[in-house]
Amino acid sequence: MNVAELRVDEELILRMSGAGPRYTSYPTVPEWHEFGDADARAALVRASTKPDEPLCVYVHLPFCARMCLFCGCTVEITRRQGKVDSYLAAIEKEVAMTCELLGSRRKVAQIHWGGGTPTHLKPDELRRLYGILSRHLDVQPGAEISIEVHPHVTTFEQIDTLVDLGFNRVSMGVQDLDPHVQEVIHRDQTTEETEALVAHCRKRGIGGINLDLMYGLPEQTEATFAATLRTIARIQPDRLAVYGYAHVPWLKRHQTALERYRLPTAPERARLFFVAIEELSKSGYEVIGLDHFARRSDALWRALEDGTLHRNFMGYTTHPAEEMLAFGMSSIGDFGGAFVQNNHDTRSYEAAIHAGKFSAMKGLVRSAEDDLRRAAIQSLMCAMHLDLDELEAQTGRRDLATHFARELEELRPLEEQGFCELRGRRVDVTPRGRLFLRHLAMVFDEYLRKKKADRPRFSKTI
Ligand code: SF4
């Protein structure tokens, strides 16, 4: 990839920087409503009718030792070890209740542990959690087994334990390596720590290393961020995600502490993201989609090239499991035609599970129209095209040119921007359009259409 080929500049990035969903789900979370134990059970019973379908499994581990001030995740700050013990007991029960309703030992194609800081767990706790999953589920040979780790708190012993358990992908939060930016955001992580952990993971045979960076942080400048990107290029992760910092102190009160520092303005944010694209292109990274980049040697790039890329709550993936089980507080599952999200509060989550009930709090059973639009959005974001003939074959419908006539018309201005090419019943996303996939997807979001005036809950698209 090179920037000239993408024909992208900071002015374009700024112009496209309105609010918009990331479409890890459609319909998106703000459209979901109250859900409960009975809804979760009903969805699992529906999911049990497809016993041969492989599944993805997500486990949310919310514990962190210290709060990073930019954090937008659902976390619990604690140093008390008893917390992990009682949480794992609840996960054990939740997994058993779920698998009992599924009725058969299901195959698993992908496992991801996110957080929080999953490596807040000690080696024996990591083993205990993996044992809980493997007792009830059949992890397939070749499954992707991944975990998020914080380099400052992760030991080589923990990595060795994960390797023994079969983990083959590690995702590390880095955000920014500049010491002043780190001090401001309460991130305490030296370049040496990150490099040493990456080297150890590679030495132990972990084939996939993802690093996450963040732009738009307080006190970040083009020069400091470019320096971070050059160091990252030296470390050579296989994949990179470069997320925009979402300043939402009304949702995350700890972010208020960042307001005493200089937050980049919208044009500065655009410039910072452009710096990321420029530096990463010089270092041999390709745009996958949105804010994800990968080396040409990485499976994600190959999946993009051969049209087998997928997307779920964990982001882009090469593993094609349709449904996802999710365990732990705040986790989101996708099974039996429904999205199901657990309670955000650890105590309420554990209490519900120990009372023999699922702690589902929010969710949505998708309609046929939701599934159709979801398939259109998935196709644009993963296959980088939308072919109405393909979609008709997939859904059994025969009227999609009429059904989506308004959407195809609304894509015209985006075609003029160079984000896509319309040819009759087919839309192709251009390399430039891969950076602005949300805008193409938003055209097919009928909930968004109905409430265009109200957007405060979405993060910035850049
Ligand atoms: S370690 Fe990660 S999850 Fe925990 S507070 Fe920091 S950014 Fe948030």
Side-chain angles (χ1 to χ4, degrees):
M1 161 186 101
N2 64 55
V3 178
E5 194 187 319
L6 289 173
R7 294 188 299 119
V8 64
D9 56 34
E10 56 266 42
E11 194 278 322
L12 175 70
I13 295 170
L14 179 61
R15 197 151 28 89
M16 303 310 292
S17 68
R22 301 180 57 76
Y23 293 107
T24 48
S25 73
Y26 181 82
T28 55
V29 178
E31 311 310 329
W32 303 0
H33 43 76
E34 210 174 294
F35 244 44
D37 174 67
D39 300 296
R41 284 176 191 276
L44 283 166
V45 169
R46 289 194 297 276
S48 71
T49 58
K50 295 190 251 170
D52 296 325
E53 288 282 313
L55 298 167
C56 294
V57 170
Y58 174 76
V59 183
H60 191 74
L61 299 158
F63 306 110
C64 297
R66 182 188 187 207
M67 178 62 91
C68 308
L69 294 180
F70 64 90
C71 183
C73 300
T74 307
V75 303
E76 182 169 334
I77 306 302
T78 184
R79 288 174 193 265
R80 275 183 40 215
Q81 268 311 312
K83 285 261 182 186
V84 172
D85 199 49
S86 73
Y87 190 73
L88 290 184
I91 297 256
E92 184 159 20
K93 186 150 185 196
E94 188 184 22
V95 172
M97 281 160 50
T98 300
C99 293
E100 194 183 332
L101 281 171
L102 286 176
S104 59
R105 195 176 157 81
R106 295 285 295 265
K107 293 182 211 138
V108 172
Q110 186 187 13
I111 296 178
H112 183 72
W113 295 358
T117 306
T119 46
H120 189 83
L121 272 62
K122 293 183 180 137
D124 58 335
E125 292 165 336
L126 296 170
R127 269 190 221 100
R128 178 177 166 196
L129 177 56
Y130 193 83
I132 291 168
L133 297 178
S134 58
R135 256 197 309 286
H136 294 276
L137 296 158
D138 185 8
V139 185
Q140 296 290 283
E144 179 178 285
I145 311 179
S146 59
I147 185 168
E148 291 163 19
V149 309
H150 181 350
H152 185 60
V153 302
T154 305
T155 63
F156 288 0
E157 187 192 358
Q158 285 171 309
I159 295 294
D160 295 346
T161 303
L162 293 166
V163 169
D164 292 346
L165 292 172
F167 280 73
N168 46 31
R169 180 163 290 281
V170 167
S171 186
M172 296 183 198
V174 173
Q175 325 311 342
D176 193 302
L177 292 169
D178 182 74
H180 176 55
V181 174
Q182 283 197 10
E183 192 187 332
V184 166
I185 62 174
H186 284 193
R187 188 88 183 174
D188 194 4
Q189 174 182 339
T190 64
T191 301
E192 292 71 28
E193 277 169 344
T194 305
E195 279 182 312
L197 199 68
V198 169
H200 187 71
C201 288
R202 291 207 162 118
K203 187 171 135 208
R204 289 304 323 267
I206 291 184
I209 308 278
N210 304 18
L211 297 187
D212 290 347
L213 299 180
M214 191 165 275
Y215 67 90
L217 289 168
E219 301 287 317
Q220 218 172 27
T221 66
E222 285 171 41
T224 60
F225 198 45
T228 289
L229 287 154
R230 284 194 288 271
T231 306
I232 294 300
R234 193 178 75 220
I235 297 174
Q236 295 205 330
D238 305 281
R239 299 177 191 172
L240 270 162
V242 187
Y243 297 114
Y245 167 60
H247 189 62
V248 286
W250 58 93
L251 294 175
K252 303 284 172 186
R253 284 186 57 196
H254 54 268
Q255 293 182 345
T256 311
L258 295 176
E259 288 175 356
R260 79 181 87 124
Y261 301 99
R262 207 187 60 79
L263 278 160
T265 59
E268 285 167 344
R269 282 173 66 94
R271 181 75 201 151
L272 286 164
F273 190 52
F274 181 68
V275 165
I277 297 168
E278 243 182 342
E279 290 294 333
L280 294 177
S281 71
K282 275 191 245 165
S283 310
Y285 287 90
E286 299 287 345
V287 178
I288 297 296
L290 297 172
D291 26 33
H292 287 68
F293 301 82
R295 305 184 75 78
R296 278 182 175 251
S297 53
D298 187 77
L300 216 51
W301 171 256
R302 293 198 298 275
L304 175 68
E305 288 275 273
D306 63 23
T308 56
L309 197 61
H310 296 268
R311 187 164 169 79
N312 58 28
F313 284 110
M314 298 181 263
Y316 280 110
T317 171
T318 56
H319 286 69
E322 288 286 315
E323 303 204 314
M324 177 182 292
L325 302 179
F327 303 109
M329 62 90 94
S330 81
S331 65
I332 299 175
D334 173 3
F335 48 83
F339 298 121
V340 183
Q341 180 166 34
N342 278 345
N343 200 302
H344 277 80
D345 172 66
T346 308
R347 213 178 287 176
S348 310
Y349 160 76
E350 290 181 15
I353 298 292
H354 289 309
K357 292 186 181 305
F358 288 103
S359 87
M361 178 193 78
K362 223 176 168 190
L364 178 136
V365 178
R366 291 187 300 277
S367 66
E369 181 66 21
D370 290 338
D371 276 335
L372 173 66
R373 288 176 181 272
R374 182 190 200 211
I377 289 171
Q378 284 270 355
S379 185
L380 281 169
M381 297 189 96
C382 298
M384 302 298 157
H385 70 252
L386 173 60
D387 186 318
L388 295 186
D389 292 329
E390 277 176 20
L391 196 55
E392 286 187 350
Q394 193 183 325
T395 58
R397 300 206 29 168
R398 290 287 167 264
D399 60 342
L400 293 187
T402 317
H403 192 74
F404 286 140
R406 179 167 56 178
E407 284 78 3
L408 293 176
E409 211 37 54
E410 287 178 7
L411 285 172
R412 295 265 170 223
L414 297 172
E415 184 181 34
E416 280 162 26
Q417 305 257 17
F419 298 160
C420 61
E421 286 166 3
L422 277 77
R423 294 189 196 95
R425 290 165 60 81
R426 186 176 163 108
V427 183
D428 283 290
V429 179
T430 61
R432 184 193 216 191
R434 292 208 298 267
L435 285 165
F436 304 100
L437 284 173
R438 292 181 194 207
H439 296 270
L440 299 170
M442 279 156 70
V443 169
F444 290 86
D445 184 340
E446 66 168 356
Y447 295 88
L448 201 55
R449 185 186 303 283
K450 284 178 198 149
K451 41 187 259 192
K452 261 194 165 149
D454 175 25
R455 293 293 160 284
R457 287 161 295 185
F458 299 130
S459 63
K460 285 286 202 180
T461 48
I462 68 154

